Amino acid sequence: MKKYIKSIILTVASFSLLLSCQSELDHFNENPNSPISTTPTLLLSAMEVSTFSTHTTGLIRTSNIFDQHLAGTSVGQLVDIQRYIVTEQDVNNEWNTLYGTTLMNGYILNRDFAMRYPYYNGIGQVLTAINLGYATDLWGDIPYDEAFRADEGNKMPKYNTQQEIYQRLQTTLDDAIINFKKPASSNISVPGSDDYIFNGDTQKWIQIAYVLKARYALRLSQVDTDASQKALEYILASGISSNADDANTFFTGTSNGLNQWYAFNKSRENYLKAGAYFVNSLKNNSDPRLSFAVAKDKNGNYTGNAANDLDTATSSYIGSSFASAASSIGLVTYAEAKFIEAEAKFRLGQDAKPALEDAVAASVLKITGTVVTSDFLNSITAHIDLEGIIQQKYIALFLTMEPYNDYRRTGFPVLVPNQSSNTKLIPVRLPTPSDERQYNLNATVVSNLTTNVWWDKN
């Protein structure tokens, strides 16, 4: 347990942990319920820092290679992901960071501080929903109800089905909203600067909780006939109204707090490039986001690698809006909310154009810092259909996991898989980590990357 507390403190005190492989974080689940001395401040800050890391490292790299925003090259190990090869050993660190760091901290916040610190607990619940969503969307069935009972002798927790996890996501977010609506006087102390995202602004956290409820409702569009109506109701309930309401990662830009896309390219230059499909989607429409989302290549042009191009190392990398030393990346944003609204309205037979226009305008403003022109906005919203909505969302939510989830859920955008891969099929999941297969007899073990998760019926 001393190692656990030491690790929490190190996570908060030093953003340099974001640059490591985080092997020291892999053992957070060791006897978590021993008597400890920690605080909501430490737990919250550790949750946020580890969430920033997860949102800008391995899981997002992999999903963005699969959906062709990015491309791995033969210069480094990312070429295997480009060839659709991900082994059960490859995903142990990501799994252990989610469970041993972020979700564990959220569990302790809820267990030890729920009654006296509802605002801290509420933020922890929202962050839990974000990270639990990452886990289930990539692995399907995962442990949750029994995941943190090592002190009771349960070191092999049973897995919840993905359907059950989606129920837990909604109830967790409902509980967070209830906590945020409690009076400030119900808290012994309230979050402030230890909340790197909103400085303790509970109204903004309520907005994000509702947008997440909408995200997860719409994710079930293939298995829930009421998904669109639920998603629309949650978006309207959120009251989110501008980019100022976005929940973003926070990086200081100093040596121990670098944006991870920037840091990755500095330490592993040419391992990763922009994907040709993404670059060409911007170029073909004279998109004003091009020069901000994509850096110029070595010849001064904007180029990307095709899915079957494993060797080109002279093409473009990620642009300055996303990969400068202190760039923030959206976790849950107003633009995403408006895309959800547009899709939900389209599916319900309502007018989706205003929401789509708002979504694109918000994305252009966030990425470029300038207001979108009416000519550009009119050109890409002249015809409204599901493919067009998802295509614009694909561009706007660059470097998040949502476009990969949308691709599996809708089949858009229409991507050509790497034909030089063994499967010639874009993976639709990650394999069960070897640590789980070997040490948890209750694990739901899946090794085939083309096995759909429950909500993916394509």
Side-chain angles (χ1 to χ4, degrees), residues 20 34 51 75 77 99 106 121 150 178 208 215 218 233 253 272 275 278 286 298 313 325 388 393 396 421 447 450:
S20 73
S34 294
T51 299
V75 173
Q77 70 269 27
Y99 274 92
N121 189 40
I178 291 171
I208 295 304
R215 173 194 288 183
L218 195 58
E233 290 174 0
L272 188 65
F278 175 60
S286 300
K298 296 185 183 301
K393 190 178 178 186
S421 66
S447 58
T450 61

Side-chain angles (χ1 to χ4, degrees), residues 119 146 303-304 309 358 420 435:
Y119 290 178
E146 297 185 1
T303 57
D309 180 358
D358 288 345
S420 67
D435 286 353

Side-chain angles (χ1 to χ4, degrees), residues 336-378:
E336 180 188 353
K338 299 307 286 189
F339 280 115
I340 292 171
E341 180 182 340
E343 180 182 344
K345 285 184 172 179
F346 176 80
R347 289 180 179 273
L348 293 168
Q350 300 177 21
D351 184 7
K353 186 173 182 177
L356 180 59
E357 290 177 336
D358 288 345
V360 174
S363 172
V364 171
L365 179 60
K366 184 180 183 73
I367 294 172
T368 71
T370 58
V371 176
V372 67
T373 66
S374 57
D375 287 346
F376 176 74
L377 199 57
N378 291 336

Side-chain angles (χ1 to χ4, degrees), residues 48 99 110 166 174 180 198 322 334:
E48 292 192 353
Y99 274 92
N110 185 263
Y166 263 79
D174 287 338
F180 292 135
F198 288 132
F322 296 89
Y334 171 65

Side-chain angles (χ1 to χ4, degrees), residues 297-318:
D297 65 17
K298 296 185 183 301
N299 297 314
N301 301 311
Y302 298 104
T303 57
N305 288 9
N308 62 351
D309 180 358
L310 308 179
D311 298 321
T312 300
T314 57
S315 46
S316 297
Y317 186 64
I318 303 164

Side-chain angles (χ1 to χ4, degrees), residues 29 43 46 86 133 186 235 265 268 345 378 385 398 423:
N29 202 29
L43 292 166
V86 182
S186 66
I235 289 298
N265 197 45
R268 297 174 178 86
K345 285 184 172 179
N378 291 336
D385 58 15
F398 180 42
T423 63

Side-chain angles (χ1 to χ4, degrees), residues 54-123:
T54 295
H55 191 66
T56 53
T57 55
L59 296 181
I60 304 300
R61 280 198 300 266
T62 297
S63 60
N64 272 244
I65 289 173
F66 287 166
D67 71 19
Q68 299 181 19
H69 279 103
L70 301 173
T73 75
S74 57
V75 173
Q77 70 269 27
L78 296 184
V79 70
D80 284 342
I81 301 175
Q82 190 69 27
R83 296 166 59 208
Y84 308 150
I85 299 172
V86 182
T87 71
E88 59 178 11
Q89 290 81 23
D90 293 334
V91 295
N92 279 324
N93 276 345
E94 283 78 8
W95 176 277
N96 290 332
T97 298
L98 282 171
Y99 274 92
T101 309
T102 318
L103 295 176
M104 174 60 76
N105 289 346
Y107 170 76
I108 295 175
L109 259 176
N110 185 263
R111 183 196 67 190
D112 295 347
F113 300 103
M115 297 301 295
R116 296 172 296 161
Y117 300 87
Y119 290 178
Y120 278 99
N121 189 40
I123 298 173

